[in-house]
Amino acid sequence: MSSRVVPFYQKRHRHYDQSYRNVDTRYVVKEYTAQRTHEQHAEQQTQQYSEQQTRQHKSYDRSVHYATELAHLEEDVRIARALAREQIDKVSIQRMVEEKMALQRMIHEECLSRAPDILVRLRSHTVWEGMPVKLFFTVQGYPTPVVQWYRNESLITPASEPGKYRIESKYGVNSLEIYRTNTNDTATYTAVARNSHGQSSTSAAVIVRRFRGEDEPLHPGFVPHLPLTAAVCFTNIEVQFLETFGVTFGVEGETITLSCSVLLTPDLTRLRPHAEWYRDDVLVKESKWHNLHFGEGRATLTLTHLNKDDEGLYTLRMVTRGGVNQHSGFLFVADAAALVLGAPGAPMDVECHDANKDYVIVSWKPPNTASEAPVIGYFVDKCEVGIDNWIQCNDSPVKICRYPVSGLYEGRSYIFRVRAVNKAGISRPSRVSVAVAALDPADLSRLQKIPLDGGQEIVISHDDLEGDVKIPGPPTNVQALETSKTYVVLSWDPPVPRGRDPLVYYIEKTMVGSGSWQRVNSQIPVRSPRYAVFDLVEGKSYNFRVIAVNKHGVSEPSEVTPPIQAQERLAVPSAPGRILASRNTRTSVVVQFDRAKVEEELIGYYIDKSVVGSNHWEHCNHKPIKYNRFVVHGLTFGEKYIFRVKAVNAVGVSENSQESEPITVKAALTTPSYPYGITLLSCDGQSMTLGWKLPKFTGGSPINGYYMDKREANHLNWHEVNANIIKERIFKVENLEEGAFYEYRVTASNIAGLGLPSDPSEHFKCEAWTSAEPGPAYDLTFCEVRNNSLVILWKEPIYSGNSPVAGYFVEYKEVDAEEWTRVNQTATATRYLKVKELEEGKTYVFQIRAVNASGVGRPSDISEPILVHARPGVEEITSGVDENGDIYLSYNCSEISEASQFAWSKSYEEITDDQKFRAETDGENSKIYFTNPDKDDLGTYSVAVSDTDGISSSFVMNAEELERLMALSHEIKNPTIPLKSELAYEILEKGRVRFWIESPHLSAETKYRFVVNDVEIKDSESHRIKFDKSAGVIEMVMDRFTVENEGTYTVQIQDGKAKNQSSLVLIGDAFKALLAEAEFQRKEYIRKQGPHFQEYLYWEVSEECEVLLVCKVANIKKETVFKWYKDEVPTEALDVPDLQQGVCIFRIPKLTKKDQGEYKATLKDDRGQDVSILELTGKLYEDIVYGMSKVSGSSASELKIHCTPEGIRFHCFMKYFSEEMKVSWYQRESKISSSEKMRIGGTDEYAWLQICEPTEKDKGKYTFEIFDAKTSYKRTVDLSGQAFDEAYAEFQRLKAAAFAEKNRGKVIGGLPDVVTIMEGKTLSLTCTVFGNPDPEVSWLKNDRDLELSDHYISTLEQGKYASLTIKDVSSEDSGKYSINVRNKYGGETVDVTVSVFKYGEEVPEVKPTQISKPAPAPTHAPAPAPEKAKPAASKAGRTTRK
């Protein structure tokens, strides 16, 4: 708000009157006036001189007349010039004055012009509903600002709601008046003033409240002190929290949002407060775990993935220039379900310390273990940033919450996590740590900056200044940085100078007194001046030294450390001391305890709780707390708990403290609020009888009395009236002075102490009442306020007048009205009345007038204003009957406070008869039970809830409702036993029959009996009867079921008063079916005493499309004989029967029709035999074929095109194909039948379709389908376009090749392979040849053409008989002879070996030289065989002859 109060027109501006506006203007006017006076004086002198000269020259002669006239003319010209100049000067001066004035006016307006400036800002208002409210503010500015009003950023116009708003603007004071406000008018109102130079605004909140009586006093609570932020840059803004978060419970892994809605006054977009979130006084920043948002009147903090690290006290602070508004609430985060039952919770708060090039120390906080086994150690995992690969750092669990991790790679970043271990298993991993880089922090300190001209710098390292250092010096300052039972962390300073070359270190140790040094890290050199030495003997002392190494050599060892012992630096903390639990709220308890005696490096405390008698401990907090006072939330109201505490540090957890005293969870007690409505009830001149109303809030315990003070009018000091406590809300004050005026105040008291005193009463005059009419009724109270009715209650007047009170009149009026309206025209004798036909939303006041025989008495004090409007969410009383048959009335109140109590009344009188009624309260619900309901219980029942601002309800118990409830109660108290299942039967082994009935809620005292054909069956060897209470089953088992057991079966049960029965009729077909099944089961039992088939023969089709006949046998021994039969003929299976495994298989590799028949398997030994038969014919055979079709169809390949000399053929390969399979071929969706044109066939391996002599009409899509009775398997190929052209060309080629092969020249017989002949004989080699056209024949000897002569004679008769005759053979004729037969389609050469021997020699054994092969035809090679087709056997083109 501006501090200036001087009017704007008196600031920074001159005060102007009716004279000229400034000094400059007055100076110009003065100069002009002086000039004008001088010119007039000169003019007068000139005129006088002229007149004188005229008189002197009158006497001149006419000669000078012309000269005179000429002089006059010149004078006239001069005068005219002077007048013209004067006019010009006037215009110039006027123009100059106007310009000056315009300039001054512009300067003046500029000085006055300014943006709107609000001098008096709007103020926030809180009003009762129905009252008017007026908002004012004062604004200045030039030009005059235009003002507009907004409600929650929506423009307000009086025309939008006529009669609702009135807007005024007078003399810079602007106002907005709202008539008859309601709760919808609660909003932020903003006034915006605008002119051509800018705008300004002011806002205020208007809160409209419904009348609720006095507000509940605030209870003191713990508000943590948080440090204020340093920089606040906002204007003064009022902040009110509307919706807030309370104590919140979550589980690890969940997402949870903490939210607060705030009301800002003013709510300016550009000027908003700063929202800050804190956890345990630590600022929460935006991260992947925390999402912060503030806007649209709401501040939220979203925890995306809860961990126990997130547990703590969260505080939202709204920071403005005027201060800080804050709200706090505790967030509990429970452990997620363990991966292994009994495993501990995850550790938390993983942090990294003392990071170096290859080393870092990881620390964490241990989890709480209440009912789980103690933690025996931890595993630390590391992961390089950017690589999702976690590596366990320690092989065995580390005992303490701190571990040095080595082996890091320099320059890389790592994150870490920890898992806890106990005897049950390993916990979930903790939240990962913040990434840490493996760098030596000392490297930065070894850099030096040298500034240069121009703002540039040169950065050099100290290593560059140390010169050329070869072998490094020894490290210095070797010491133990940290000690433990299992390791010692050493630290040292690098050698100085260290040189430019990289250094590594080796550590050596020696046990004190041993005299021998042992290198610790011989395999892995250390790069950082830190190292953790493990595998030390606990309690032993060691000396250490360090050696530095670079590429030039090894330094001298460092100085030896003093003896260092491997032992814990810390000890397990001692247990906390005395623990005290005290009441707080209906669901929480405050736990205080004495701290541990030694708190050095203490992490915090864990608190456990247990329900008394359960011996089961649970966690109260899941993250250690550092204070010794903690509020444990989430408890059950009315339950009794005990608590214990333990201290935690890095070494471990202390022993549990002593258990606290048992405490019942209830709300803490507070003092009551102040009474009100002090009324004078009677006065006799010496004393006054006063009454007052009950305090709105009792403080959680009944009010045990009151104390009264008095004082005379105009006196300042109060005087105590009563020394002893007043039990009732009425009291007679004695020893007063007649005629004096007194005022009083009353203070209520409960077990927590005295509350606040009431407001002083009116001034009551002490004078005797002598009227015949009764005095006023008092203690007017209201309940059951609804939208158009309410119930008013009062108490009988103390002063009754001359006769007893006969009745009462109730009167009411609106708050602002003057006339009273009487509710009842006839006086009511009761002291309560339900007032109806009230208008919703209006506020009324009431008064009561008592009536006696003398007339109507004085009215009671006017009640407080009552708003007729039903509270949202208020429920009504309901009636019902519980599971025990008890009748009750029930009321549920969701707005119950921690100190609230339910008060039940009948006819609006408190129920005190414990013999007739019993009240029970559980949290938000209260019930009143009728012990022995009868007609006397008819009437109106009501309930009022204290400390809730008047929540109440009533219920009329009439005769019809009571009769309905009693009938339902009788039905529940005399129930029928519910049956889960009626009487049923089942057949057991040996043919026994079990009859049973199930009712799950039977007690152990249940009585039962079975009746068959009106005859009760007793428990015996043949009829076993029993009752299983745990399952609620009653059963009877008959050992042998025969034809004599036909009839009706009944079971009767009784449990207390409840009864039931169930019957089962087994007559006719139902009995025959049961008897047949029982007999079958009996025979089955006998069969299974010897070797038997556990599963009879059944068939399967294997993945290789083999048919398997399978049976399973049982009760086998070595002597058991198993055999297979087909059509009663013994047969051997391919697979040996495996009697030990109990499975026997008869394998049929490729099923055909010849495999049909009866297959039988037999088992036999000295205990008996068993037979299983399978008829593999008819429908069963078809089913097997379908099964084979399914396997073949699933394995079928795609259709492939294969060309032959006859046409184009399609092949579909599969595991097995049989003609019995249901297959079809389709061309363009048309089924193909086998014909001369389309031939269909197949082999064991594939099915085929051949198109003979294909034409253009044969183009299209071809489909092969195999059907297995349920599914069809299709394979398609498209024979069109290029595919058809290529196939057709291949067909033509093969056709031509086949024709050539058929008609080429060839030897078809008659020529032997070897001929042996004696010298001197004649040899004739003769054979039959063929060819179309007739072939040409030529002979060769030893692969050379044979020259024909008389010795060699060749003949060809009839074009098919060729011969070669050798006359008078000699040894020179021995050799290989060949006949070459050829025509235009080709030919072949056939060889014969001739051996000539001399007479008397043995006939030599001659082998043929080679197999003759046909010569290739002059066409292309034949097409290859189809895939998977077996190659055809080659035919030898030779003839053998002796």
Side-chain angles (χ1 to χ4, degrees), residues 234-253:
F234 306 119
T235 187
N236 185 17
I237 298 177
E238 294 182 9
V239 180
Q240 299 181 33
F241 291 103
L242 301 182
E243 297 178 5
T244 59
F245 60 92
V247 177
T248 309
F249 298 89
V251 179
E252 283 188 311

Short mmCIF file of all heavy atoms in Angstrom, two decimals, residues 234-253:
data_model
loop_
_atom_site.label_atom_id
_atom_site.label_comp_id
_atom_site.label_asym_id
_atom_site.label_seq_id
_atom_site.Cartn_x
_atom_site.Cartn_y
_atom_site.Cartn_z
N PHE A 234 8.72 -11.35 -3.89
CA PHE A 234 7.32 -11.19 -4.23
C PHE A 234 6.68 -10.11 -3.36
O PHE A 234 7.20 -9.70 -2.34
CB PHE A 234 6.57 -12.51 -4.07
CG PHE A 234 7.18 -13.63 -4.84
CD1 PHE A 234 7.65 -14.75 -4.19
CD2 PHE A 234 7.33 -13.54 -6.21
CE1 PHE A 234 8.22 -15.77 -4.90
CE2 PHE A 234 7.90 -14.56 -6.91
CZ PHE A 234 8.36 -15.69 -6.25
N THR A 235 5.49 -9.71 -3.76
CA THR A 235 4.76 -8.72 -2.99
C THR A 235 4.08 -9.38 -1.80
O THR A 235 4.14 -10.59 -1.63
CB THR A 235 3.72 -8.04 -3.90
OG1 THR A 235 3.14 -6.97 -3.18
CG2 THR A 235 2.63 -9.02 -4.29
N ASN A 236 3.39 -8.58 -0.97
CA ASN A 236 2.72 -9.08 0.23
C ASN A 236 1.47 -9.84 -0.19
O ASN A 236 0.49 -9.25 -0.65
CB ASN A 236 2.37 -7.92 1.15
CG ASN A 236 1.78 -8.40 2.45
OD1 ASN A 236 1.92 -9.56 2.79
ND2 ASN A 236 1.13 -7.51 3.17
N ILE A 237 1.46 -11.13 -0.05
CA ILE A 237 0.36 -11.99 -0.48
C ILE A 237 -0.07 -12.84 0.71
O ILE A 237 0.76 -13.45 1.39
CB ILE A 237 0.79 -12.90 -1.65
CG1 ILE A 237 1.17 -12.04 -2.85
CG2 ILE A 237 -0.32 -13.87 -2.02
CD1 ILE A 237 1.68 -12.83 -4.03
N GLU A 238 -1.39 -12.86 0.95
CA GLU A 238 -1.92 -13.71 2.01
C GLU A 238 -2.13 -15.12 1.45
O GLU A 238 -2.67 -15.30 0.36
CB GLU A 238 -3.25 -13.15 2.51
CG GLU A 238 -3.12 -11.80 3.21
CD GLU A 238 -4.46 -11.32 3.75
OE1 GLU A 238 -5.41 -12.12 3.71
OE2 GLU A 238 -4.53 -10.17 4.18
N VAL A 239 -1.71 -16.12 2.22
CA VAL A 239 -1.80 -17.52 1.80
C VAL A 239 -2.64 -18.27 2.81
O VAL A 239 -2.38 -18.22 4.02
CB VAL A 239 -0.40 -18.16 1.69
CG1 VAL A 239 -0.53 -19.62 1.26
CG2 VAL A 239 0.46 -17.39 0.71
N GLN A 240 -3.67 -18.97 2.32
CA GLN A 240 -4.50 -19.83 3.16
C GLN A 240 -4.50 -21.23 2.56
O GLN A 240 -4.74 -21.40 1.37
CB GLN A 240 -5.94 -19.30 3.25
CG GLN A 240 -6.07 -17.93 3.86
CD GLN A 240 -7.52 -17.49 3.92
OE1 GLN A 240 -8.42 -18.30 4.09
NE2 GLN A 240 -7.74 -16.19 3.78
N PHE A 241 -4.21 -22.23 3.40
CA PHE A 241 -4.25 -23.62 2.95
C PHE A 241 -5.69 -24.12 3.07
O PHE A 241 -6.28 -24.09 4.15
CB PHE A 241 -3.33 -24.50 3.81
CG PHE A 241 -1.87 -24.21 3.59
CD1 PHE A 241 -1.14 -23.48 4.51
CD2 PHE A 241 -1.23 -24.67 2.47
CE1 PHE A 241 0.19 -23.21 4.31
CE2 PHE A 241 0.11 -24.41 2.25
CZ PHE A 241 0.83 -23.68 3.17
N LEU A 242 -6.25 -24.58 1.93
CA LEU A 242 -7.63 -25.08 1.92
C LEU A 242 -7.66 -26.59 2.09
O LEU A 242 -8.21 -27.12 3.04
CB LEU A 242 -8.32 -24.66 0.63
CG LEU A 242 -8.38 -23.14 0.38
CD1 LEU A 242 -9.12 -22.84 -0.90
CD2 LEU A 242 -9.06 -22.43 1.55
N GLU A 243 -7.07 -27.31 1.16
CA GLU A 243 -6.98 -28.77 1.25
C GLU A 243 -5.52 -29.12 1.49
O GLU A 243 -4.64 -28.65 0.77
CB GLU A 243 -7.48 -29.42 -0.03
CG GLU A 243 -8.94 -29.16 -0.33
CD GLU A 243 -9.36 -29.79 -1.64
OE1 GLU A 243 -8.52 -30.49 -2.25
OE2 GLU A 243 -10.51 -29.58 -2.05
N THR A 244 -5.26 -29.93 2.50
CA THR A 244 -3.89 -30.27 2.87
C THR A 244 -3.71 -31.77 2.92
O THR A 244 -4.68 -32.53 2.91
CB THR A 244 -3.54 -29.66 4.24
OG1 THR A 244 -4.47 -30.19 5.23
CG2 THR A 244 -3.64 -28.15 4.23
N PHE A 245 -2.47 -32.19 2.94
CA PHE A 245 -2.15 -33.61 3.11
C PHE A 245 -1.88 -33.87 4.59
O PHE A 245 -1.39 -33.01 5.31
CB PHE A 245 -0.94 -34.02 2.26
CG PHE A 245 0.33 -33.27 2.60
CD1 PHE A 245 1.23 -33.77 3.52
CD2 PHE A 245 0.62 -32.06 2.00
CE1 PHE A 245 2.39 -33.10 3.83
CE2 PHE A 245 1.78 -31.36 2.29
CZ PHE A 245 2.66 -31.88 3.22
N GLY A 246 -2.22 -35.05 5.01
CA GLY A 246 -1.99 -35.43 6.40
C GLY A 246 -0.94 -36.51 6.49
O GLY A 246 -0.05 -36.63 5.64
N VAL A 247 -1.04 -37.30 7.54
CA VAL A 247 -0.13 -38.44 7.67
C VAL A 247 -0.43 -39.41 6.54
O VAL A 247 -1.58 -39.80 6.31
CB VAL A 247 -0.32 -39.12 9.04
CG1 VAL A 247 0.56 -40.35 9.14
CG2 VAL A 247 0.01 -38.14 10.16
N THR A 248 0.60 -39.80 5.80
CA THR A 248 0.45 -40.60 4.59
C THR A 248 1.26 -41.89 4.73
O THR A 248 2.36 -41.89 5.28
CB THR A 248 0.93 -39.82 3.36
OG1 THR A 248 0.30 -38.54 3.35
CG2 THR A 248 0.57 -40.56 2.07
N PHE A 249 0.69 -42.97 4.22
CA PHE A 249 1.34 -44.28 4.27
C PHE A 249 1.54 -44.79 2.85
O PHE A 249 0.64 -44.72 2.01
CB PHE A 249 0.50 -45.29 5.06
CG PHE A 249 0.29 -44.91 6.50
CD1 PHE A 249 -0.79 -44.12 6.87
CD2 PHE A 249 1.18 -45.31 7.47
CE1 PHE A 249 -0.99 -43.75 8.19
CE2 PHE A 249 1.00 -44.95 8.79
CZ PHE A 249 -0.09 -44.16 9.16
N GLY A 250 2.74 -45.29 2.57
CA GLY A 250 3.05 -45.85 1.27
C GLY A 250 3.92 -47.09 1.41
O GLY A 250 4.37 -47.45 2.49
N VAL A 251 4.14 -47.76 0.29
CA VAL A 251 4.94 -48.97 0.23
C VAL A 251 6.00 -48.77 -0.84
O VAL A 251 5.75 -48.11 -1.86
CB VAL A 251 4.07 -50.21 -0.08
CG1 VAL A 251 4.93 -51.47 -0.16
CG2 VAL A 251 2.99 -50.38 0.96
N GLU A 252 7.18 -49.31 -0.61
CA GLU A 252 8.26 -49.18 -1.58
C GLU A 252 7.80 -49.61 -2.97
O GLU A 252 7.14 -50.62 -3.12
CB GLU A 252 9.46 -50.03 -1.15
CG GLU A 252 10.27 -49.43 -0.03
CD GLU A 252 11.55 -50.21 0.23
OE1 GLU A 252 11.47 -51.45 0.35
OE2 GLU A 252 12.60 -49.61 0.33
N GLY A 253 8.17 -48.82 -3.96
CA GLY A 253 7.81 -49.12 -5.33
C GLY A 253 6.58 -48.38 -5.81
O GLY A 253 6.34 -48.29 -7.02
#
